[in-house]
Amino acid sequence: MLEDYRRAHKRAVFGTVAEINAFAIGAQMIDPYVTVYLKWFSAKDYDWKRKLAEEDVRIVSARDYLDPSDPAEPWGLYRIGDDGTAEHLAEPIWKWGRYYALMVRSIRNETWEEEAVGRRGKALNYWWGMSAGVVDVRLAPCIPYGQQVLVEGIRQSLLTGRINPFSGELQKQGGAVVHEGPERLSSEEIVRMSWLNANVVGRLPEQRELSREGLEKVEVSGVIPLDPSTLPHRGTAS
């Protein structure tokens, strides 16, 4: 049985759970028996690398970009060999130039103002992805040709809307159905997800488990409840 694994490298903020579930659902399309192990980068006093090694995890999805302060740290999707070395497999591409061009265009044609009137009192969301040319994927040369063809087929299906990870039947941990039918979840339902797909082994972190930096991020836009009276604030002793 083919198994795939993921470490959630971001904080428990809006959109992160959707990224985890999209990965898990996508892996499940290839292998219905796939298992995804979830580890939190923002947890304090926690060695996620050791935990993954103990669980014999060989395929890891880490941070989406190279860390300039530690260029030797593996990133993107990579495979851990028997000797412990990491082989880079793939990474997402963020085309910020395209994003800002779309943003400026929305301002120039005043669509942003029309949206603001319709959503008065709510934050505007400019959520552009692969179909808008803002996000893409790059495969490493080591990926076999057949798998490259498969990835390109899935990519084209995403671009044309034939495949959407958040449409059809969706099951959360425990097997309960949270969505069914051909329509996709709304953007708000996706970004505010607080449940994990059925094939994910792990859970959302609790407040006491988060590092100081993680707490600051979650306090602003987190999907887990926090007790304000116990939060560390800048300028105060921890």
Side-chain angles (χ1 to χ4, degrees), residues 208-221:
R208 60 181 176 80
E209 298 172 313
L210 294 174
S211 64
R212 182 186 182 94
E213 182 183 1
L215 281 171
E216 290 177 351
K217 298 295 191 302
V218 173
E219 183 181 8
V220 174
S221 58

Side-chain angles (χ1 to χ4, degrees), residues 7 9 14 35 44 74 107 109 130 168 191 203 223 227:
R7 174 181 68 90
H9 60 284
F14 287 142
T35 301
K44 62 182 178 181
I107 294 174
N109 62 23
M130 186 174 288
V191 78
R203 59 177 174 80
V223 295
D227 181 357

Side-chain angles (χ1 to χ4, degrees), residues 184-213:
R184 70 187 278 286
L185 295 178
S186 68
S187 296
E188 185 168 357
E189 288 175 317
I190 294 172
V191 78
R192 291 181 176 274
M193 275 183 182
S194 59
W195 53 270
L196 295 169
N197 201 60
N199 64 330
V200 175
V201 176
R203 59 177 174 80
L204 296 181
E206 298 178 9
Q207 178 177 340
R208 60 181 176 80
E209 298 172 313
L210 294 174
S211 64
R212 182 186 182 94
E213 182 183 1

Side-chain angles (χ1 to χ4, degrees), residues 66-149:
L66 176 69
D67 184 357
S69 64
D70 189 8
E73 178 72 14
W75 59 287
L77 186 72
Y78 62 88
R79 178 192 295 114
I80 302 175
D82 293 335
D83 59 355
T85 59
E87 180 183 24
H88 188 72
L89 301 177
E91 78 269 7
I93 303 172
W94 307 94
K95 300 181 180 180
W96 293 108
R98 171 65 175 168
Y99 176 86
Y100 290 119
L102 291 172
M103 181 69 74
V104 171
R105 183 182 304 171
S106 70
I107 294 174
R108 292 184 63 181
N109 62 23
E110 298 184 351
T111 55
W112 65 276
E113 188 173 359
E114 295 173 4
E115 293 176 8
V117 171
R119 294 177 57 83
R120 192 175 301 278
K122 296 182 179 180
L124 291 178
N125 169 47
Y126 293 96
W127 197 0
W128 290 304
M130 186 174 288
S131 61
V134 173
V135 181
D136 210 336
V137 62
R138 179 187 293 123
L139 302 181
C142 64
I143 300 298
Y145 175 76
Q147 288 183 306
Q148 293 184 35
V149 173

